[in-house]
């Protein structure tokens, strides 16, 4: 089994450049379906989730050329299928982002129903209800969702029960060519949604208010392909900022907009972390103990759930106790039991984690519970006593390009390794 091995206690300092945002790149790739022709996406991260989305697009009939690792030329001229099979949706739930653009281009789509995932049930009922209001008819059979538009698509006001990122994006992508005006009320406001709306507007769409709770989409005729640069990854940036805060020596993180991490930086300042902001970079360091601070995750501009795990690692070493409340996903505290193996004192009560700071962590064998939890365990290893071995690292590869290499460049003692795993026998093997 491939693992990441970390020896704690090395100074970690220097500069790191973040890639384009995973959560934006995936939706921009899907959106190219709505504009037949060759769209060029720059600053695309080289991560496994992006590779899966590439497979989804190819399955639909698109051609993809990768130039210099980070530029994708996606030719959607000959897309002639509208089915996304379960094997791909099961690998990555964000594959469901093709629903909106397929409906926009073909008026129909077949997408496998996503199953549960390790951070909760993650339903898509809001996507369905919103699309139904625009005239989409759904039928579910044999595990697939079949969407059709017998009477075309028409604008409507849709109020989301929760500011869901995925539902907002699918509704925007489906409605760009609908008749009339679509209004999404209680829309999600994440920077990745603004990036998507910007690209669609460059393609000829008329989307107003992205980044606010009310998004208005005025239907247009055809969309045309464009060249677009993916917004910097605020979560990758936040992960390295949390690493600087944890290890103490200065780390400068470049390639993103610090305004996209507004609340994280404010909370981190309350935790006793020193922060210097530039226009496209942040430098962090820490020369005093971590101050316990309560955190509540919420949709943007609230504290991002995607920064909850990294912050839990930090708070597990604070001088005192605090509560982390997870309001976005129902099951996103699996990191806690792995951190406990390293000596952390964390108790889970429903959607609250009660964190009592400890004086130090000790290296142990642990498993990545999910993408952000995996990164948070590597971080914990950087300050733990001795060696930490992190398994299930495919989770980390989903969203971080060269995570180990970037930490090595900062001076960390971290490497890939393989370990023997004894398979449990079927039946007795005495
Ligand atoms: C996206 C991000 C993910 C991030 C999350 C919240 C991508 C690829 N992923 O996920 O990294 O953590 O936003 O910022 O962009 N829900 C429903 N019904 C729905 C839709 C959502 O009940 O139809 C629930 C989900 O189960 C979850 C919550 O709403 O509990 C938030 O989900 P949502 O904002 O849609 O997240 P994703 O788009 O899946």
């Amino acid at each position: 089994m491939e693992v990441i091995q970390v020896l704690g206690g090395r100074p970690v300092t220097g500069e790191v450049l973040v890639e384009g945002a995973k959560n934006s790149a995936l939706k921009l790739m899907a959106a190219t379906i709505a504009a037949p022709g060759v769209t060029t996406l720059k600053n695309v991260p080289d991560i496994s989730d992006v590779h899966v989305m590439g497979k989804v697009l190819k399955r639909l009939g698109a051609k993809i050329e990768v130039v210099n690792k980070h530029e994708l030329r996606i030719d959607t001229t000959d897309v002639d299928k509208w089915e996304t099979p379960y094997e791909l949706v099961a690998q990555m739930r964000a594959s469901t982002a093709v629903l909106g653009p397929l409906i926009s281009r073909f008026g129909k789509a077949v997408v496998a129903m996503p199953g549960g995932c390790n951070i909760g049930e993650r339903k898509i009922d809001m996507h369905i209800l919103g699309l139904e209001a625009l005239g989409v008819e759904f039928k579910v059979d044999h595990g697939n969702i079949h969407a059709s538009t017998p009477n075309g698509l028409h604008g409507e006001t849709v109020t989301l029960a929760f500011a869901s990122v995925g539902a907002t994006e699918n509704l925007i992508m489906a409605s760009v060519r609908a008749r009339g005006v679509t209004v999404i009320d209680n829309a999600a406001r994440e920077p990745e949604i603004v990036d998507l709306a910007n690209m669609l507007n460059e393609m000829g769409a008329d989307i107003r208010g992205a980044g606010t709770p009310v998004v208005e989409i005025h239907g247009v005729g055809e969309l045309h392909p464009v060249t677009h640069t993916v917004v910097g990854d605020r979560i990758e940036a936040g992960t390295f900022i949390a690493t600087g805060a944890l290890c103490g020596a200065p780390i400068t993180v470049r390639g993103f907009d610090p305004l996209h991490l507004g609340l994280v930086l404010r909370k981190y300042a309350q935790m006793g972390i020193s922060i210097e902001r530039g226009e496209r970079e942040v430098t962090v360091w820490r020369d005093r103990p971590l101050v316990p601070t309560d955190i509540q995750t919420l949709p943007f501009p609230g504290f991002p759930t995607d920064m909850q795990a990294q912050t839990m690692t930090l708070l597990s070493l604070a001088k005192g106790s605090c509560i982390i409340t997870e309001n976005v996903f129902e099951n996103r505290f699996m990191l806690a039991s792995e951190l406990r193996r390293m000596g952390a004192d964390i108790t889970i009560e429903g959607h609250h984690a009660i964190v009592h700071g400890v004086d130090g962590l000790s290296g142990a064998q642990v498993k990545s519970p999910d993408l952000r939890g995996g990164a948070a365990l590597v971080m914990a290893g950087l300050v733990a006593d001795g060696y930490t071995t992190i398994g299930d690292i495919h989770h980390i590869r989903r969203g971080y390009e060269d995570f180990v290499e970037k930490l090595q460049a900062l001076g960390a003692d971290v490497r890939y390794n393989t370990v023997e795993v004894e398979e449990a026998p079927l039946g007795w093997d005495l």
Side-chain angles (χ1 to χ4, degrees):
M1 177 175 74
E2 204 184 4
V3 296
I4 294 176
Q5 225 157 36
V6 196
L7 176 61
R10 288 290 174 89
V12 180
T13 185
E15 289 184 13
V16 60
L17 182 67
V18 299
E19 313 299 331
K22 165 178 93 73
N23 288 352
S24 191
L26 294 174
K27 318 310 165 57
L28 298 174
M29 288 173 76
T32 63
I33 297 168
V38 183
T39 283
T40 301
L41 293 178
K42 298 185 174 189
N43 202 30
V44 178
D46 186 17
I47 52 176
S48 68
D49 270 8
V50 161
H51 305 159
V52 176
M53 186 56 93
K55 279 191 204 156
V56 171
L57 295 184
K58 280 179 84 172
R59 192 64 86 89
L60 297 170
K63 295 187 194 74
I64 302 182
E65 193 192 338
V66 183
V67 186
N68 293 332
K69 199 169 168 184
H70 292 130
E71 184 174 313
L72 297 187
R73 293 189 192 148
I74 307 176
D75 185 351
T76 56
T77 315
D78 297 329
V79 168
D80 57 356
K81 295 179 207 63
W82 40 86
E83 293 198 24
T84 305
Y86 185 57
E87 81 227 36
L88 293 174
V89 176
Q91 270 183 60
M92 186 183 70
R93 299 176 54 84
S95 309
T96 50
V98 294
L99 191 58
L102 283 174
I103 290 171
S104 161
R105 178 152 166 193
F106 299 110
K108 56 186 168 184
V110 180
V111 176
M113 286 263 281
C117 79
N118 51 358
I119 58 173
E121 207 181 341
R122 295 188 83 168
K123 292 183 291 200
I124 58 162
D125 54 323
M126 282 189 264
H127 302 229
I128 307 272
L129 280 173
L131 291 167
E132 277 175 346
L134 307 184
V136 182
E137 292 186 4
F138 286 98
K139 206 172 74 179
V140 178
D141 69 17
H142 304 291
N144 292 318
I145 301 167
H146 297 252
S148 61
T149 49
N151 302 310
L153 280 172
H154 56 81
E156 185 56 77
T157 295
V158 176
T159 303
L160 294 178
F162 182 88
S164 152
V165 173
T168 303
E169 291 167 335
N170 254 330
L171 284 168
I172 290 177
M173 291 190 282
S175 61
V176 279
R177 297 180 55 221
R179 287 190 313 274
V181 181
T182 302
V183 178
I184 309 172
D185 196 8
N186 195 25
R189 291 183 264 171
E190 271 67 3
E192 293 76 24
I193 290 173
V194 177
D195 200 22
L196 174 66
N198 285 345
M199 184 179 85
L200 289 167
N201 282 342
E202 289 153 19
M203 289 173 155
D206 183 357
I207 303 165
R208 307 173 193 178
T212 76
V214 182
V215 180
E216 232 179 71
I217 302 115
H218 295 247
V220 297
E222 295 291 303
L223 297 189
H224 56 80
V226 291
T227 295
H228 181 87
T229 302
V230 180
V231 68
D233 196 324
R234 64 195 166 104
I235 304 300
E236 186 193 4
T239 305
F240 284 108
I241 288 169
T243 302
L246 182 71
C247 299
I251 293 186
T252 299
V253 186
R254 300 192 199 284
F256 78 109
D257 184 344
L259 291 175
H260 296 167
L261 277 182
L263 191 61
V264 173
L265 296 178
R266 277 211 297 284
K267 280 283 176 185
Y268 279 22
Q270 280 173 27
M271 287 161 62
I273 296 155
S274 303
I275 298 169
E276 227 170 62
R277 284 180 192 225
E279 213 169 285
R280 301 273 310 152
E281 67 186 44
V282 161
T283 301
V284 281
W285 69 96
R286 182 170 61 83
D287 41 26
R288 49 200 153 132
L290 282 160
V291 179
T293 306
D294 292 343
I295 301 285
Q296 286 205 45
T297 67
L298 282 171
F300 192 84
F303 194 95
T305 172
D306 288 350
M307 281 301 298
Q308 184 253 102
Q310 303 90 315
T311 308
M312 179 181 276
T313 292
L314 273 179
L315 291 171
S316 73
L317 288 164
K319 283 269 165 265
S321 305
C322 59
I323 298 180
I324 302 176
T325 303
E326 174 57 58
N327 293 310
V328 180
F329 290 109
E330 73 263 33
N331 182 24
R332 214 181 186 177
F333 283 140
M334 290 93 66
L335 170 68
S337 50
E338 299 300 311
L339 278 181
R340 272 201 296 265
R341 291 180 46 72
M342 300 179 71
D345 181 353
I346 304 168
T347 314
I348 306 299
E349 301 262 349
H351 68 128
H352 306 288
I354 299 127
V355 186
H356 300 290
V358 293
D359 291 336
L361 297 174
S362 66
Q365 203 174 335
V366 289
K367 266 193 198 166
S368 299
D370 57 19
L371 164 59
R372 307 301 169 189
L377 286 171
V378 177
M379 283 173 51
L382 296 173
V383 291
D385 177 33
Y387 278 99
T388 299
T389 304
I390 299 111
D392 285 351
I393 61 172
H394 58 277
H395 287 300
I396 300 176
R397 291 211 169 100
R398 284 188 39 219
Y400 291 94
E401 179 179 327
D402 293 341
F403 191 48
V404 163
E405 293 79 353
K406 287 183 183 182
L407 287 171
Q408 283 169 343
L410 293 171
D413 188 338
V414 50
R415 70 198 65 199
Y416 292 109
N417 215 336
T418 43
V419 294
E420 293 284 320
V421 187
E422 196 168 334
E423 297 283 335
L426 282 175
W428 293 112
D429 179 19
L430 300 172

